Amino acid sequence: NAGVTQTPKFRILKIGQSMTLQCAQDMNHNYMYWYRQDPGMGLKLIYYSVGAGITDKGEVPNGYNVSRSTTEDFPLRLELAAPSQTSVYFCASSPSAMEQFFGPGTRLTVL
Amino acid sequence: DQQVKQNSPSLSVQEGRISILNCDYTNSMFDYFLWYKKYPAEGPTFLISISSIKDKNEDGRFTVFLNKSAKHLSLHIVPSQPGDSAVYFCAASGGVTGGGNKLTFGTGTQLKVEL
């Protein structure tokens, strides 16, 4: 089991560019989540999904979009990147919405 | 509104002694609590959890205590080891109105275990 994988590990974007952060899990978990972590802060929920075809907003969804066409994949799309989106992004999956398994993170810088 | 609070951003403890990390919450709908550990450049990993029907849960060197009336939980690590040096996040989950599908995280406490 690879667990939760995220690509890329690092990325630098220019203001206004777009990109997709990839997340995949091979544990057949229904629940998947996207978080961002800013320096000195906790994890803030961006979007989550309770199953394929179902997504919902978290605490900080503005500037992001998600889709969940399969159980395994949960990509996060950034449109029109802004410096405020500079952060570390973590994807997680869970069988039960309780204990969540996290990927290694994507460090994104927007200049 | 920070519903889960970890008021100590850092804690330094000597090897072999007890580490006590604290967490307070404000949402009375939270009924399940977790602790995660995070090393630099890695994702958080699950450490231990507790349901609101219990007041204590142990797993080896790690014990979590829950005081529902005070809306307070703590993580005890005994004995502390240098490998325990990491950021510890407290997280909470609730029923339908408390966000049962989601976790709310605290801001974390950096634990440093010194030789």
Side-chain angles (χ1 to χ4, degrees):
Chain A
N1 273 356
V4 179
T5 57
Q6 292 184 238
T7 56
K9 285 187 169 29
F10 304 95
R11 183 74 186 266
I12 297 175
L13 278 183
K14 293 183 178 178
I15 294 172
Q17 287 186 319
S18 301
M19 76 164 294
T20 299
L21 282 67
Q22 301 291 346
C23 174
Q25 53 95 6
D26 61 0
M27 298 174 281
N28 202 34
H29 289 167
N30 283 326
Y31 296 87
M32 294 190 75
Y33 305 84
W34 274 107
Y35 295 90
R36 59 177 286 173
Q37 186 190 13
D38 299 324
M41 303 295 289
L43 297 157
K44 300 286 188 184
L45 182 65
I46 305 172
Y47 271 95
Y48 68 103
S49 169
V50 300
I54 306 169
T55 63
D56 206 350
K57 295 178 180 178
E59 188 180 352
V60 289
N62 291 344
Y64 307 94
N65 275 301
V66 293
S67 58
R68 183 98 182 269
S69 55
T70 66
T71 299
E72 294 78 20
D73 300 296
F74 191 40
L76 177 72
R77 177 84 178 158
L78 278 72
E79 305 281 2
L80 299 173
S84 60
Q85 293 178 305
T86 293
S87 190
V88 182
Y89 291 83
F90 291 102
C91 178
S93 73
S94 175
S96 64
M98 296 301 185
E99 180 187 337
Q100 296 181 13
F101 297 82
F102 284 81
T106 294
R107 185 174 295 273
L108 176 68
T109 302
V110 182
L111 299 174
Chain B
D1 176 29
Q2 190 74 25
Q3 296 188 66
V4 178
K5 301 176 186 179
Q6 293 177 258
N7 292 319
S8 297
S10 63
L11 174 68
S12 187
V13 171
Q14 279 197 313
E15 182 181 12
R17 306 295 287 266
I18 184 170
S19 295
I20 300 176
L21 294 91
N22 293 304
C23 177
D24 297 294
Y25 62 96
T26 57
N27 189 338
S28 57
M29 296 301 295
F30 288 148
D31 59 7
Y32 195 78
F33 304 88
L34 307 90
W35 285 93
Y36 281 82
K37 178 178 178 179
K38 185 182 179 305
Y39 292 118
E42 294 184 10
T45 55
F46 170 74
L47 192 57
I48 192 169
S49 63
I50 188 166
S51 165
S52 61
I53 62 172
K54 294 186 172 183
D55 54 19
K56 177 181 173 181
N57 189 28
E58 278 183 89
D59 184 1
R61 296 185 298 114
F62 302 92
T63 303
V64 56
F65 295 92
L66 175 62
N67 182 334
K68 289 186 291 293
S69 61
K71 293 192 178 68
H72 176 84
L73 62 154
S74 61
L75 174 68
H76 293 210
I77 306 174
V78 184
S80 300
Q81 299 174 354
D84 296 329
S85 296
V87 177
Y88 289 78
F89 290 102
C90 171
S93 176
V96 173
T97 56
N101 290 329
K102 302 172 285 188
L103 294 179
T104 300
F105 283 83
T107 51
T109 296
Q110 172 75 61
L111 174 65
K112 183 177 180 182
V113 180
E114 299 173 319
L115 298 171

